[in-house]
Amino acid sequence: LPADRPSPACYEGDEGTNLVNSAKSIVRQFSEYDNTLFFTAANEIALNSGDAGYTSLPCVKALVRDVHKFQASCSAMRSVPLIYAGQDIGSQGRRLVSDYLSCADEDNGGSQAAIDVYGLNVYNWCSETEVYQNSGYKGIMDDYSEYGIPMVLSEFGCNVGDFATSCTSDDDPFPGGRDFVQVAELTGPNMDSTFSGGIAYEFSMESNGFGLVLKPGYLDGQDAHITLDSYKSLQGQFQTVAATDFGAANWTRHGDSRDAETLGDFCNWRPHTTGSLGRPVCPDYTTLGITGELPPEPPNSDYYSCPSFELSCGVEEDNYCFAGAAGTPPTCSAVPSSSDDDDSAADDSTWFTSSRIAIIGGASIGLIVAVTGASIATRKRQERAAALEAGGVDATGEPIYSPLSNGEPEV
């Protein structure tokens, strides 16, 4: 998004056309994967927009509107939620931006132009002695305790202060680092009524020093991935959360056995603490320096057509809920699993798809780990079956995994 200019200039011409076509291409390609949680419509626009300031934000809503319209037009595509990742710019600014991007102004795009999930990039909690009550996390919760759409920390993990580290030697690169103790607060009772987990920044080590893993070639002669101390700390925090009352093991798969008659209750389910909340009211547009009018979809932005593959029953139902329970409910019925612990239930992997992301209000970080594991288990079973059918086994009798015959990539 060319956010260095105000709306509508940031959504016009070849740049606008290329932006929308690129977004549709990404959505089309990655919506088929059941562990795609959401698509980021934009990141820290208010920070990166130079002199344009907030006046480029209408272009974000316009992009959200046009991607939502594309999703709604594709009956054979999972409707993955759209997220905006915003910089934590302090109490007044962060709530102003989030309210604008998540409100539904019926005169300017309505709910189609409103994001589904709001993310905050938060880098406080930089001390081993810090606690929730004196952290920036409490101030964020004070601001968002009545916020009506799902929220996540779209980036977190301070790497300065007590958590600073550096590459001291090839034998012990980046010792110490972050301990990620804030994971317990993020998924605990102080925050889980508003936040649905978070995303630690970032996977691979770059020049900014935030990486948790060294990719091959980072060190001289390195030919394998190296997980750092910070990675192991984060892994330990996730494992601890998963074993508590806030972890995935203690969530039931709400609505797995349902039909058209009970689908309405399934779509309307909300966590009890947020059941009465709705989207925020749109702020006074003059405080953002805008009129509220959104730029139209750029010309020639229909290069990509809808995919043509079939959807499972569960995904059809989730799409129905994601669209606000609009239209005719699917006539199919999901088959309940015999056990939440049996990975055979992962074959459809539909219990944690788009609409569930949009309504589950707590401990999603544990659920994220669980659904990713389920997706991998499904793919591995498919690969195993394909390998056995082809007769390929190794010296121990284990199947030799290869790309699936339908062209899906190897895991």
Side-chain angles (χ1 to χ4, degrees), residues 72-307:
S73 72
C74 297
S75 60
M77 184 172 73
R78 184 164 69 93
S79 293
V80 179
L82 306 183
I83 183 174
Y84 174 81
Q87 184 199 24
D88 184 15
I89 53 179
S91 181
Q92 182 177 0
R94 65 190 174 211
R95 189 61 199 253
L96 183 64
V97 172
S98 61
D99 283 2
Y100 172 66
L101 292 176
S102 58
C103 74
D105 182 347
E106 295 306 321
D107 294 327
N108 292 286
S111 59
Q112 277 196 324
I115 57 169
D116 306 304
V117 183
Y118 192 76
L120 269 182
N121 300 339
V122 178
Y123 287 100
N124 53 40
W125 206 302
C126 298
S127 169
E128 293 177 344
T129 59
E130 194 160 356
V131 295
Y132 173 77
Q133 291 298 326
N134 64 11
S135 71
Y137 283 38
K138 184 179 185 303
I140 292 171
M141 276 301 301
D142 290 343
D143 286 345
Y144 286 99
S145 60
E146 297 296 319
Y147 192 58
I149 71 167
M151 284 192 72
V152 299
L153 291 188
S154 39
E155 295 178 14
F156 76 95
C158 177
N159 70 344
V160 298
D162 290 344
F163 305 130
T165 184
S166 61
C167 189
T168 55
S169 71
D170 288 357
D171 294 332
D172 187 20
F174 298 95
R178 294 171 282 178
D179 60 15
F180 291 104
V181 293
Q182 66 268 51
V183 167
E185 293 296 344
L186 178 59
T187 58
N190 284 325
M191 299 183 70
D192 79 327
S193 60
T194 295
F195 279 88
S196 296
I199 303 168
Y201 187 79
E202 63 183 326
F203 181 78
S204 59
M205 181 62 72
E206 309 293 343
S207 59
N208 57 20
F210 280 97
L212 305 178
V213 173
L214 302 186
K215 295 188 295 186
Y218 187 92
L219 304 174
D220 289 341
Q222 177 194 346
D223 57 6
H225 286 83
I226 296 176
T227 55
L228 303 175
D229 290 347
S230 292
Y231 176 98
K232 296 165 185 173
S233 295
L234 181 64
Q235 182 183 47
Q237 295 290 348
F238 283 167
Q239 290 170 342
T240 299
V241 167
T244 70
D245 289 341
F246 303 98
N250 295 285
W251 282 78
T252 58
R253 298 180 180 183
H254 177 85
D256 262 0
S257 179
R258 57 188 182 273
D259 52 32
E261 294 181 359
T262 60
L263 188 55
D265 291 338
F266 164 69
C267 291
N268 293 325
W269 180 84
R270 296 291 187 277
H272 70 281
T273 54
T274 59
S276 62
L277 300 180
R279 289 189 175 275
V281 176
C282 293
D284 181 354
Y285 293 144
T286 61
T287 61
L288 293 164
I290 61 176
T291 64
E293 184 178 357
L294 305 183
E297 183 169 357
N300 304 313
S301 57
D302 56 354
Y303 181 83
Y304 290 97
S305 59
C306 295

Side-chain angles (χ1 to χ4, degrees), residues 308-322:
S308 58
F309 47 77
E310 293 185 9
L311 290 179
S312 69
C313 175
V315 173
E316 286 186 29
E317 292 173 340
D318 281 329
N319 281 354
Y320 171 73
C321 292
F322 186 71

